[in-house]
Amino acid sequence: MIYIANVTLGGTDYRVQLDTGSSDLWVQPSTSPLPNSNQTSTTYNLTYGIGWAYGHVSYTSAAFAGISVPQQAFLDVSSAQNPALTYGTSGIMGLGFTSLSTIDALVNQTGQSSGRSLLYNLFNDNPKEPNYIAFSLQRVSDPSDDIEGTFLVGETEPQYAAVNDSSPIPTFPVQNPNRWNILLDAIIVGANVISVNTTVPNAPSNKAVVLLDSGTSYTYAPVEVCQAIYGNVPGAQYNKAAGQWSVPCNAEIDLALQFGGQVFPMNPLDVSPSSLTDPNACVGSFIPQDISSIGAGNFDWIVGDNFLRSVYSVYDFGDFDSSGKMGNPYIKLLSLVDPNEASADFVSVRGGVARSNITYNAANSTSSDSGRTTVSLSDDITDTLHKVSIYFPAMIAVMALNALVLLLLVVGGLVYFLRKRAGGPRSRRNKGRATPMPLEPMSTESFVDNNSSRGHVYEPVSMALTDDTFVPPSPAFHGYEGGLKPGRQLIDRPKSVA
């Protein structure tokens, strides 16, 4: 249900949940303040999709994956209610961008810079370390599981080295994102392609913006998508009290998600896992929720561990060019699921007959709802086209003037030729060369975007937020009994800490 690693704070190891859906680090030590730390008077209550954590902002040395940071801000929690604690952890380590960090925003009010996320500081203090993380998620605790659970900083597992050759999937937005959001092309169930759409401003209408969140056990998707996945399964029905679908355990659902034109099959055991309350019953791991308002216009879905177990994931904060400038962040995914082998795995656990020759037909990832083709242009080209559109009327006017001059010259030459043939008087004007009016070249400086030349950088260290401008990042997900209306009681979702 959750994935755990050790982080060292003040010389002591603490077990924390790894969460790509958030950016803050907090631990609840056995005694507060945490040993070998400097506790400040600043307090805060971090609120998650499920649960909360309250404590003091503190500073201490930190180490993670063998890389050290001399001073790291974190939340020294004295009181908390969070599902992660029930699995033997002491807290949560956010692996997102610093711009989403509440602790960073709080610390920046005091002029400090160490409040940035732990990953930011790891890479910043160790510039020779490649700035990406990579992980695979083991399906079960059985050591015989085909997929070994690994988490690496700055390197990839040799057995998954093929991920380096896969196509990068850009974040959304492409530059300076707050979350590990990417665009979903479609969802494929068997031979059926389920189209998706978005409510996120400026996102393509035939895509969905999804948050890849290792801190969420299941996937939260629109109601109609979940209906399309489970609605045609014999014996499946929506359990309103539980807020999810009940699915016959022997019903194999072959499903894949498509990102960047690439299809990534899921293991059917992850599409309908065993119920947490009844191991003899199975449930749909795609939870129907309208989270457009919860995502605050930033994402449409939360894609959790039920999908991430089927891929090897690389989260890259941006490649450096020869001048040391960092490019835009991106994600790379390598499929770890062979559909036919996954069907055999399903049958070995649930019974039935294994399927063969399972294929998924990729949806057209570039066509829009109207049948048009969407072409992505670089920022430089877009900026150039914009400036051309501004100067275009002037260009037309200049060309029209050129045409008029040429026309007059042609007419004049014709008149002169006719007069010469008729024996009339010759012109005594000085000889010359008729040159069209030159088209003034647009200054190359007008095409230089001072911002685009920077590329993506780590999020700003400080924007001098003050008490009246600081607004903590909104929680990534809430579930409310009976819907998503404010004031209704939170219901217990399966360990989502998006």
Side-chain angles (χ1 to χ4, degrees):
M1 298 301 294
I2 70 172
Y3 293 87
I4 301 169
N6 289 331
V7 63
T8 303
L9 298 176
T12 303
D13 287 345
Y14 296 92
R15 291 159 58 90
V16 291
Q17 181 183 20
L18 300 176
D19 181 19
T20 60
S22 67
S23 302
D24 290 306
L25 170 64
W26 65 267
V27 295
Q28 185 178 25
S30 56
T31 60
S32 186
L34 182 142
N36 302 317
S37 68
N38 297 318
Q39 191 177 84
T40 72
S41 59
T42 303
T43 60
Y44 199 79
N45 185 29
L46 285 173
T47 304
Y48 290 80
I50 297 175
W52 51 269
Y54 171 83
H56 289 259
V57 174
S58 300
Y59 298 91
T60 190
S61 61
F64 181 69
I67 310 173
S68 300
V69 173
Q71 180 167 266
Q72 174 67 42
F74 68 101
L75 199 67
D76 189 342
V77 169
S78 56
S79 179
Q81 288 185 3
N82 195 287
L85 299 176
T86 65
Y87 285 88
T89 72
S90 297
I92 293 176
M93 177 178 168
L95 303 173
F97 297 95
T98 290
S99 56
L100 191 63
S101 170
T102 299
I103 294 175
D104 182 57
L106 291 167
V107 169
N108 278 335
Q109 295 184 79
T110 66
Q112 297 290 330
S113 61
S114 57
R116 294 169 293 181
S117 69
L118 178 56
L119 279 182
Y120 178 103
N121 288 328
L122 286 175
F123 297 136
N124 189 64
D125 292 352
N126 301 273
K128 294 184 179 180
E129 189 74 27
N131 58 331
Y132 64 84
I133 58 175
F135 58 82
S136 58
L137 302 180
Q138 194 166 340
R139 177 161 291 101
V140 295
S141 58
D142 186 347
S144 64
D145 190 354
D146 293 337
I147 299 175
E148 180 184 5
T150 63
F151 185 93
L152 296 174
V153 176
E155 59 180 310
T156 56
E157 277 291 326
Q159 61 179 323
Y160 303 134
V163 71
N164 298 316
D165 299 325
S166 63
S167 300
I169 302 173
T171 60
F172 185 86
V174 174
Q175 294 182 328
N176 301 321
N178 291 331
R179 298 173 174 84
W180 289 111
N181 291 345
I182 60 176
L183 294 176
L184 173 68
D185 299 335
I187 184 169
I188 307 169
V189 181
N192 300 320
V193 175
I194 303 173
S195 60
V196 295
N197 52 49
T198 184
T199 60
V200 177
N202 302 318
S205 60
N206 61 324
K207 311 278 188 182
V209 180
V210 302
L211 168 64
L212 297 188
D213 182 12
S214 66
T216 297
S217 303
Y218 293 161
T219 288
Y220 295 85
V223 174
E224 61 273 15
V225 170
C226 298
Q227 173 70 36
I229 296 173
Y230 302 112
N232 295 323
V233 177
Q237 57 183 352
Y238 178 67
N239 187 331
K240 185 176 181 180
Q244 62 186 139
W245 282 78
S246 297
V247 183
C249 289
N250 61 353
E252 178 180 337
I253 303 174
D254 297 318
L255 182 150
L257 300 185
Q258 180 178 325
F259 298 101
Q262 306 170 65
V263 175
F264 301 94
M266 288 181 58
N267 190 305
L269 290 170
D270 289 324
V271 182
S272 57
S274 299
S275 170
L276 297 176
T277 57
D278 183 0
N280 296 319
C282 295
V283 297
S285 65
F286 284 77
I287 311 297
Q289 291 283 354
D290 178 9
I291 61 173
S292 57
S293 59
I294 302 304
N298 294 306
F299 53 86
D300 303 294
W301 296 33
I302 298 176
V303 174
D305 297 332
N306 64 327
F307 169 76
L308 294 177
R309 273 191 289 273
S310 297
V311 294
Y312 187 70
S313 309
V314 173
Y315 296 73
D316 198 306
F317 286 81
D319 295 330
F320 291 96
D321 61 19
S322 58
S323 63
K325 295 179 181 178
M326 183 185 295
N328 297 320
Y330 59 85
I331 290 174
K332 285 188 173 184
L333 302 176
L334 174 68
S335 178
L336 301 181
V337 173
D338 179 291
N340 297 323
E341 293 179 1
S343 178
D345 291 341
F346 181 88
V347 169
S348 67
V349 176
R350 305 281 182 85
V353 179
R355 300 174 182 177
S356 59
N357 299 321
I358 300 174
T359 58
Y360 296 98
N361 296 319
N364 186 347
S365 61
T366 58
S367 63
S368 66
D369 297 338
S370 60
R372 301 174 182 174
T373 299
T374 301
V375 179
S376 298
L377 301 177
S378 69
D379 293 338
D380 290 340
I381 295 177
T382 302
D383 185 64
T384 299
L385 292 177
H386 173 68
K387 289 181 171 61
V388 168
S389 68
I390 296 176
Y391 290 109
F392 190 72
M395 294 167 60
I396 292 296
V398 170
M399 287 188 290
L401 182 59
N402 291 342
L404 178 60
V405 171
L406 288 174
L407 180 61
L408 292 176
L409 289 174
V410 170
V411 172
L414 182 61
V415 171
Y416 174 80
F417 176 76
L418 293 176
R419 290 182 62 183
K420 183 175 181 180
R421 291 191 59 183
R426 296 182 180 181
S427 171
R428 296 296 182 184
R429 287 180 289 182
N430 294 331
K431 293 181 180 181
R433 183 163 58 95
T435 303
M437 182 180 294
L439 178 64
E440 292 294 334
M442 285 180 280
S443 170
T444 56
E445 294 181 358
S446 66
F447 289 110
V448 176
D449 185 345
N450 292 329
N451 291 326
S452 66
S453 63
R454 296 180 305 169
H456 175 72
V457 296
Y458 284 120
E459 307 304 329
V461 172
S462 172
M463 296 196 302
L465 298 177
T466 60
D467 288 332
D468 56 346
T469 59
F470 168 56
V471 179
S474 59
F477 175 79
H478 283 292
Y480 292 95
E481 185 65 48
L484 293 172
K485 296 181 180 179
R488 294 189 176 180
Q489 182 180 3
L490 282 169
I491 58 177
D492 184 18
R493 292 289 180 227
K495 316 312 172 194
S496 168
V497 287

